[in-house]
Amino acid sequence: MKFFIDTADVAEIKEARELGILDGVTTNPSLIKKSGRPFKDVAAEICKLVSGPVSLEVTAIDCEGMLKEAAELAGFGDNVVIKLPLIPEGLKACKRLTEQGVKTNVTLCFSPVQALLAAKAGASFISPFVGRLDDIGQDGMEIIPQIRQIYDNYGFDTEILVASIRNPVHVLDAALAGADVATIPFSVFKQLVHHPLTDKGLAQFLKDWKEVKA
Ligand code: G3P
């Protein structure tokens, strides 16, 4: 499973990249706002920092507007993936961009049937938001194996990019369900590596090592 980082904070991206396991970046308008920086500056910097896919989201809500924005966003680098909302106009734009060979990430997906529509429109990635489903009392992760099964049933090569991840269990369940990608907030990236028994065991090894004669 590929690991993307879900942030527009360049310092976080650099730190995650140093771990050597970062495959890409996803952003959205809210994450850009949180970065506190002008969009063009932050988008250009992220696209240079990471060689893997960088999702940049359109804000138009009509197909022609989305296509116009997509052309501008593509200028930030060869690794740009155009993020489109899962609305009828977004599906139309996805189909058009796919026909032009442009990579797309269809976002704000909350059901397996929506994911099927995105795949039929040729999406490179589908982003089901598991945490936001949990927030309204539905088990968000339930839809991931369902999307996996649908895509496998029909041979769709759209990659399942699990988004709105809130904790390490979401990452575990995404991997068990055969998701292609998890896009992970930096706070969760840090939680993934940590285990108290690792720390305890290492402390003991280092203590004992001091008592070993060379
Ligand atoms: O990038 C989209 C998604 O990961 C957003 O997550 O935590 O705002 O629901 P969240």
Side-chain angles (χ1 to χ4, degrees), residues 6 26-28 31 83 107 129 131-132 135 163-166 183 185:
D6 197 28
T26 51
T27 68
N28 62 40
L31 292 170
K83 209 169 175 187
T107 189
F129 277 29
R132 292 193 194 183
D135 291 344
S164 190
I165 279 180
R166 302 279 169 76
T183 190

Side-chain angles (χ1 to χ4, degrees), residues 158-203:
T158 300
E159 294 193 53
I160 303 171
L161 191 169
V162 180
S164 190
I165 279 180
R166 302 279 169 76
N167 56 59
V169 177
H170 279 152
V171 179
L172 170 66
D173 288 342
L176 289 172
D180 301 286
V181 190
T183 190
I184 305 170
F186 186 57
S187 55
V188 178
F189 249 106
K190 287 192 288 189
Q191 287 176 310
L192 289 179
V193 73
H194 180 74
H195 197 288
L197 290 179
T198 305
D199 297 341
K200 189 177 170 206
L202 180 61

Side-chain angles (χ1 to χ4, degrees), residues 10-194:
V10 165
E12 291 183 349
I13 294 169
K14 284 182 181 164
E15 206 174 323
R17 193 187 57 169
E18 277 164 21
L19 288 174
I21 54 169
L22 184 65
D23 301 300
V25 178
T26 51
T27 68
N28 62 40
S30 304
L31 292 170
I32 299 288
K33 179 186 166 196
K34 198 171 159 201
S35 78
R37 297 179 58 195
F39 172 65
K40 286 183 178 170
D41 292 358
V42 73
E45 194 173 348
I46 294 172
C47 291
K48 280 202 189 76
L49 270 179
V50 180
S51 56
V54 175
S55 290
L56 300 177
E57 190 158 343
V58 300
T59 52
I61 52 169
D62 65 294
C63 176
E64 292 307 322
M66 290 176 190
L67 295 176
K68 190 166 169 279
E69 271 186 64
E72 290 159 10
L73 295 175
F76 286 109
D78 293 342
N79 51 347
V80 170
V81 174
I82 306 300
K83 209 169 175 187
L84 303 158
L86 211 162
I87 59 176
E89 292 295 301
L91 291 175
K92 284 188 215 168
C94 180
K95 181 78 178 169
R96 297 263 297 273
L97 290 169
T98 302
E99 284 164 359
Q100 294 167 21
V102 176
K103 298 246 184 255
T104 55
N105 174 358
V106 177
T107 189
L108 291 165
C109 170
F110 294 95
S111 82
V113 176
Q114 284 184 311
L116 174 57
L117 296 178
K120 286 180 71 67
S124 314
F125 298 96
I126 181 71
S127 289
F129 277 29
V130 295
R132 292 193 194 183
L133 283 169
D134 291 353
D135 291 344
I136 60 159
Q138 192 178 327
D139 179 358
M141 198 51 71
E142 257 183 8
I143 68 171
I144 305 303
Q146 293 173 349
I147 298 171
R148 178 76 283 154
Q149 187 180 335
I150 291 168
Y151 284 7
D152 291 350
N153 283 350
Y154 297 102
F156 287 117
D157 56 10
T158 300
E159 294 193 53
I160 303 171
L161 191 169
V162 180
S164 190
I165 279 180
R166 302 279 169 76
N167 56 59
V169 177
H170 279 152
V171 179
L172 170 66
D173 288 342
L176 289 172
D180 301 286
V181 190
T183 190
I184 305 170
F186 186 57
S187 55
V188 178
F189 249 106
K190 287 192 288 189
Q191 287 176 310
L192 289 179
V193 73
H194 180 74

